[in-house]
Amino acid sequence: MADRIWSITEMCADFGVTPRTLRFYEGKELVFPMREGQRRLYTRRCRARLKLILRGKRFGFSLEDIRQLLNLYDIGDQQVTQIARTYRLGEERLGAMIAQRDELNEAIADLERQLRWGEQVLAGAGLRAAPLTEAAP
């Protein structure tokens, strides 16, 4: 598998991305496919980088942060700097995500209170509020 190469079609299918996405990541210097004429050919290293890019995006890292972290792989310190910087960035992101979750939980609780109030008002007018499950798409 070390010498295996993948086409853009295979990469898209394997990772659930579009060719446009892969070309965009190439333009942002996140992946570096080999070229055979107009064809882009992806190595194991490209696959590993794409996996990390998609994970970083899911965690909310910026593409610039991801690019910088990926570029630390080759500095020759057995990835210690890369892991340390990723860890710090991960801690910051986790803190932000927890704060977002707390804000969302607060907003959900407030909306639930408002809906209960609305039910009471409607009941006082002799109307029944539709169950929430009917309102959901």
Side-chain angles (χ1 to χ4, degrees):
M1 180 151 153
D3 293 338
R4 167 94 198 270
I5 57 170
W6 290 264
S7 69
I8 195 166
T9 303
E10 291 171 315
M11 290 288 284
C12 291
D14 291 350
F15 289 94
V17 297
T18 64
R20 182 177 178 186
T21 298
L22 287 177
R23 290 189 298 269
F24 177 77
Y25 291 158
E26 182 182 355
K28 293 291 184 181
E29 298 180 345
L30 294 167
V31 293
F32 304 94
M34 297 181 308
R35 292 299 193 110
E36 190 176 89
Q38 292 287 4
R39 294 182 62 209
R40 289 172 170 86
L41 302 172
Y42 296 86
T43 63
R44 237 176 89 217
R45 181 179 171 103
C46 291
R47 289 178 66 85
R49 288 176 72 95
L50 182 57
K51 183 177 180 179
L52 292 171
I53 292 163
L54 296 174
R55 182 178 295 156
K57 280 188 49 155
R58 192 176 90 227
F59 294 155
F61 294 177
S62 72
L63 289 180
E64 180 57 25
D65 286 338
I66 293 168
R67 188 185 65 73
Q68 289 177 13
L69 291 171
L70 289 172
N71 288 343
L72 291 173
Y73 180 82
D74 293 319
I75 65 171
D77 68 351
Q78 298 179 314
Q79 292 77 50
V80 171
T81 301
Q82 183 187 41
I83 293 168
R85 182 134 346 127
T86 302
Y87 186 85
R88 282 193 307 273
L89 191 59
E91 280 187 317
E92 291 172 15
R93 231 3 246 140
L94 180 59
M97 291 168 77
I98 289 170
Q100 287 175 325
R101 181 190 62 196
D102 292 345
E103 289 176 23
L104 184 57
N105 285 338
E106 189 176 317
I108 289 169
D110 189 31
L111 182 54
E112 288 172 338
R113 284 189 296 275
Q114 291 299 313
L115 289 171
R116 284 192 300 274
W117 173 83
E119 285 176 0
Q120 292 171 352
V121 169
L122 291 172
L127 300 172
R128 185 174 159 269
L132 291 178
T133 55
E134 288 181 8

